[in-house]
């Protein structure tokens, strides 16, 4: 009887395990059935496409573009990263349901690899935390505050022009790192109120850490075997990752502590003097302007639940989002203008009509008259969107092109391909800034052009980025003529976190007479 009892218990346990397994696996099987109905390249049953993905950045980008071309008529395709289903879309009609909805605001799983650096700030957070942060931070990008940042844009652009004058003899040189250093100095000063002097010291450890960490993140995102922290942290790349974080977080924390101490001292002095606290944030210490960090410190003074860690998250996020993206965009604009003499001539004429021969700073009022410059920036971002792919997690079942996309699927928007839809951009490979004149943009689908994303999670800093790039380009092309010397195929585009040329942009620069 005892043996029979044990056998019955064993059988019951086996039945329970089988039933439990079926309960767990059923939704996974349904997901597999639905996703497998979508077009896409063949995959391995266990690893999906993980081992098929090219490791080298340019080869990876070209591979994704080939798959896009293979499925251009359907407008989307699917791949698997291990057991993680991914749908990649590049038609305005299938992009709209992803970006427009308030139901799909959770960022893709791939953004979790940014958490060690950025925490869960505005870029990576979701739900109520994201909604609270978005509402809190929106005023920090108010027009008045951006107008104050114009001083920084102009000052750093003038340093860049001085550096370019030494190169403006008609010989070939790589402009990529000069532009990148200028943007890094701008973002450090506007975000933290501190200069790293990148334009004079590209060997600065903070500069090198930013560049290295971006490279490490790109490699990890497409390699599922590097996803588990207990594996990654023991590898040489994981140790480099940790060292970069030590440098980046170390500087951010030091600056926060310094600015925080200065603010507390200033507020204590005001209180001792019986001064009434101003509702408007004022310059702290000896600095002549407020930085993004100072605005956050004022917020913390009003609401202590907004912690120092919260401030660090948002400062690091501003640094991450505002550096590589704008640097890449400015470089691509140099290349496109250097490759299109007629467009460059028209820009020169516009700049001359606004500034004459003066060296005065660019103002926000000038932007009203720099309409062609804005078209140049927008057309460059169409051809070379700084973020070539961004993703969401489907928080609910999603319908794309009449197909049911199950909850939990990673939905990616391929902006590089989206912006080349012939229905909305005839001759899509042609650089034609005039297509962004108001009269030529009237009937365009609102989700056919999304360089700063769109919908509720659009980029909060897009006006900052546009102002910054226009100031930099205005300073350069008031002084110089540029000639690009590379063929497009020689640029070998890296299209992962940020779209950029693998070896920079080679140009010839001459002074305008």
């Amino acid at each position: 009887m005892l043996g029979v009892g044990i056998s019955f218990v064993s059988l019951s346990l086996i039945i329970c395990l089988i039933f439990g397994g079926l309960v767990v696996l059923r939704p996974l099987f349904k997901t597999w059935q639905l996703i497998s109905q979508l077009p896409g390249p063949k995959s391995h049953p266990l690893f999906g496409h993980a081992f098929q993905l090219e490791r080298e950045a340019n080869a990876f980008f070209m591979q994704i573009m080939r798959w896009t071309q293979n499925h251009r008529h359907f407008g989307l395709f699917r791949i698997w990263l291990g057991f993680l289903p991914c749908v990649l879309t590049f038609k305005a009609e299938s992009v709209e349901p992803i970006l427009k909805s308030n139901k799909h605001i959770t960022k893709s799983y791939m953004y979790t690899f940014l958490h060690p650096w950025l925490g869960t700030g505005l870029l990576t957070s979701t739900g109520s935390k994201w909604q609270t942060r978005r509402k809190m931070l929106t005023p920090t990008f108010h027009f008045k505050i951006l107008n104050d940042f114009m001083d920084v844009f102009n000052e750093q652009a003038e340093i860049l022009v001085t550096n370019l004058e030494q190169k403006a003899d008609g010989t070939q040189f790589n402009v990529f790192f000069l532009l990148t250093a200028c943007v890094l100095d701008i973002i450090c000063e506007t975000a933290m109120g501190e200069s790293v002097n990148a334009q004079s010291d590209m060997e600065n450890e903070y500069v090198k850490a930013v560049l290295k960490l971006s490279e490490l993140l790109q490699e990890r995102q497409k390699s599922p075997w590097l996803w588990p922290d207990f594996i990654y942290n023991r590898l040489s790349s994981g140790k480099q990752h940790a060292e970069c974080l030590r440098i980046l977080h170390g500087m951010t924390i030091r600056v926060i502590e310094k600015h925080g101490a200065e603010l507390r001292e200033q507020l204590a002095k005001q209180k001792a003097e019986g001064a009434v606290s101003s509702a408007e944030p004022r310059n702290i210490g000896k600095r002549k302007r407020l930085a993004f960090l100072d605005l956050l410190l004022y917020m913390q003074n009003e609401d202590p639940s907004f912690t120092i860690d919260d401030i660090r998250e948002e400062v690091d996020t501003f640094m991450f989002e505002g550096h590589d993206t704008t640097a890449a965009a400015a470089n691509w604009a140099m290349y496109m203008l250097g490759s299109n003499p007629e467009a460059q001539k028209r820009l020169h004429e516009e700049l001359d009509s606004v500034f004459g021969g003066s060296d005065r700073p660019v103002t926000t009022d000038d932007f009203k008259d720099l309409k062609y410059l804005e078209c140049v920036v927008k057309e460059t971002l169409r051809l070379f969107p700084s973020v070539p792919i961004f993703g969401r997690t489907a928080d609910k079942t999603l319908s794309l092109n009449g197909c049911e996309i199950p909850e939990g699927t990673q939905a990616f928007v391929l902006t590089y391909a989206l912006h080349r839809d012939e229905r909305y951009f005839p001759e899509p490979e042609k650089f034609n800034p005039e297509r962004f004149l108001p009269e030529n943009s009237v009937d365009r689908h609102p989700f056919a052009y999304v360089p700063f994303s769109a919908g509720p999670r659009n980029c909060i800093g897009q006006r900052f980025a546009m102002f910054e790039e226009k100031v930099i380009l205005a300073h350069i092309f008031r002084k110089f003529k540029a000639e690009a010397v590379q063929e497009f195929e020689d640029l070998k585009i890296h299209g992962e976190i940020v779209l950029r040329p693998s070896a920079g942009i080679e140009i010839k620069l001459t002074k305008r007479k």
Side-chain angles (χ1 to χ4, degrees):
M1 289 295 292
L2 181 60
V4 173
I6 292 174
S7 298
F8 178 76
V9 171
S10 300
L11 180 61
S12 299
L13 181 60
I14 291 170
I15 292 173
C16 287
L17 288 172
I18 292 172
F19 179 76
L22 290 173
V23 170
V24 172
L25 293 174
R26 184 179 178 184
L28 295 177
F29 181 68
K30 183 181 179 182
T31 295
W32 178 83
Q33 280 186 311
L34 291 170
I35 296 297
S36 295
Q37 292 174 11
L38 300 176
K42 292 182 179 180
S43 63
H44 189 280
L46 289 178
F47 302 106
H49 297 85
F51 287 117
Q52 294 181 35
L53 295 179
E54 297 286 351
R55 311 321 305 165
E56 193 271 324
N58 174 248
F60 170 76
F61 177 73
M62 297 307 296
Q63 179 183 44
I64 295 295
M65 290 304 107
R66 283 196 303 273
W67 287 346
T68 300
Q69 280 298 309
N70 293 342
H71 303 96
R72 64 186 181 278
H73 298 300
F74 196 70
L76 59 84
F77 62 96
R78 56 100 184 105
I79 64 172
W80 293 86
L81 291 176
F83 292 104
L84 190 66
C86 305
V87 173
L88 296 90
T89 181
F90 46 92
K91 295 290 184 183
E93 294 76 11
S94 53
V95 166
E96 182 174 4
I98 299 170
L99 299 184
K100 186 177 182 179
S101 173
N102 287 308
K103 298 177 181 177
H104 308 291
I105 62 170
T106 301
K107 288 298 182 80
S108 160
Y109 174 76
M110 299 305 164
Y111 287 74
T112 60
F113 302 117
L114 293 170
H115 289 179
W117 182 6
L118 309 182
T120 50
L122 188 63
L123 175 66
T124 53
S125 59
T126 190
S128 60
K129 181 174 182 178
W130 171 76
Q131 291 170 345
T132 300
R133 289 287 174 90
R134 179 80 183 205
K135 184 177 180 180
M136 176 187 294
L137 295 175
T138 295
T140 63
F141 290 93
H142 187 273
F143 181 82
K144 180 180 181 299
I145 294 168
L146 293 181
N147 196 44
D148 291 341
F149 286 159
M150 288 286 289
D151 289 342
V152 182
F153 300 161
N154 278 289
E155 288 166 9
Q156 295 300 334
E158 288 166 6
I159 294 172
L160 172 64
V161 166
T162 299
N163 291 338
L164 289 174
E165 284 177 341
Q166 301 171 29
K167 305 280 188 179
D169 57 2
T171 58
Q172 181 176 325
F173 71 99
N174 193 333
V175 74
F176 185 87
F177 295 106
L178 292 174
L179 280 169
T180 299
C182 175
V183 173
L184 185 56
D185 275 340
I186 287 173
I187 202 68
C188 283
E189 193 163 344
T190 54
M192 296 190 288
E194 301 286 325
S195 177
V196 294
N197 298 313
Q199 295 200 75
S200 58
D201 181 16
M202 278 299 289
E203 293 303 308
N204 180 290
E205 70 169 3
Y206 188 88
V207 176
K208 291 194 290 185
V210 168
L211 298 174
K212 184 61 180 178
L213 191 56
S214 297
E215 177 187 323
L216 292 168
L217 286 168
Q218 291 171 6
E219 177 60 26
R220 190 180 185 189
Q221 285 182 330
K222 63 187 179 188
S223 308
W225 52 91
L226 297 180
W227 292 356
D229 288 338
F230 71 89
I231 293 176
Y232 188 69
N233 292 341
R234 287 166 173 75
L235 300 175
S236 61
S237 53
K239 292 174 181 177
Q240 292 177 64
H241 181 271
E243 176 60 14
C244 289
L245 288 178
R246 183 191 67 77
I247 294 169
L248 297 177
H249 286 167
M251 177 173 175
T252 307
I253 290 168
R254 285 195 302 273
V255 174
I256 290 172
E257 290 175 346
K258 173 186 171 185
H259 285 226
E262 290 174 349
L263 176 60
R264 289 191 295 274
E265 181 181 346
Q266 179 170 297
L267 293 174
K269 183 178 179 181
Q270 290 176 12
K271 185 176 180 180
E273 294 173 350
V276 178
S277 296
S278 171
E280 290 288 329
R282 297 191 295 176
N283 291 355
I284 299 173
K286 297 180 180 179
R287 291 186 299 282
K288 59 183 179 180
R289 65 180 69 90
L290 286 164
F292 179 65
L293 166 59
D294 298 320
L295 299 172
L296 298 183
L297 287 167
Y298 270 102
M299 289 180 185
Q300 191 211 21
N301 183 64
E302 297 296 320
D303 179 10
S305 67
F306 186 54
T307 67
I308 293 297
D309 285 339
D310 294 331
I311 292 174
R312 185 195 61 75
E313 285 180 345
E314 299 307 341
V315 171
D316 284 340
T317 295
F318 190 15
M319 291 291 301
F320 170 76
E321 290 200 273
H323 171 229
D324 266 1
T325 50
T326 306
N331 272 285
W332 286 120
M334 287 290 291
Y335 177 75
M336 295 313 299
L337 288 166
S339 302
N340 293 272
E342 287 304 312
Q344 186 176 165
K345 180 181 177 183
R346 181 167 174 180
L347 177 60
H348 282 148
E349 290 170 352
E350 180 179 83
L351 291 169
D352 291 345
S353 71
V354 174
F355 298 102
S358 75
D359 292 325
R360 70 171 176 81
V362 181
T363 70
T364 52
D365 285 338
D366 292 328
F367 291 153
K368 293 185 297 230
D369 300 316
L370 295 172
K371 296 176 181 177
Y372 190 71
L373 174 60
E374 176 151 337
C375 290
V376 165
V377 173
K378 287 182 174 179
E379 174 70 344
T380 302
L381 287 171
R382 181 188 71 81
L383 286 165
F384 302 102
S386 296
V387 181
I389 177 171
F390 49 85
R392 302 280 191 273
T393 296
D395 292 325
K396 303 283 184 182
T397 298
L398 184 62
S399 179
L400 298 180
N401 282 14
C403 300
E404 183 180 345
I405 309 300
E407 180 180 346
T409 301
Q410 307 300 295
F412 292 98
V413 175
L414 299 176
T415 49
Y416 185 90
L418 172 71
H419 290 175
R420 283 166 165 74
D421 190 330
E422 292 182 351
R423 296 174 299 163
Y424 304 113
F425 303 105
E427 298 183 273
E429 296 297 337
K430 182 180 179 181
F431 181 70
N432 178 17
E434 286 85 351
R435 55 172 114 232
F436 283 97
L437 291 171
E439 61 269 24
N440 296 331
S441 306
V442 176
D443 297 323
R444 189 174 297 145
H445 194 292
F447 288 83
Y449 176 74
V450 292
F452 295 101
S453 187
R457 291 211 73 153
N458 68 339
C459 175
I460 194 174
Q462 58 184 286
R463 184 182 285 181
F464 175 99
M466 290 291 288
F467 281 17
E468 178 185 5
E469 186 176 353
K470 285 190 280 189
V471 170
I472 291 172
L473 293 176
H475 275 276
I476 292 173
F477 286 95
R478 284 158 69 182
K479 293 286 187 180
F480 306 109
K481 293 180 181 178
E483 177 188 350
V485 298
Q486 294 158 295
E487 296 296 327
F488 177 73
E489 294 75 16
D490 297 332
L491 296 174
K492 295 184 178 179
I493 299 175
H494 284 200
E496 296 174 322
I497 293 179
V498 173
L499 190 76
R500 57 188 173 193
S502 61
I505 301 287
E506 295 285 332
I507 65 168
K508 293 179 181 178
L509 209 63
T510 53
K511 294 180 181 179
R512 295 184 62 200
K513 296 179 181 178

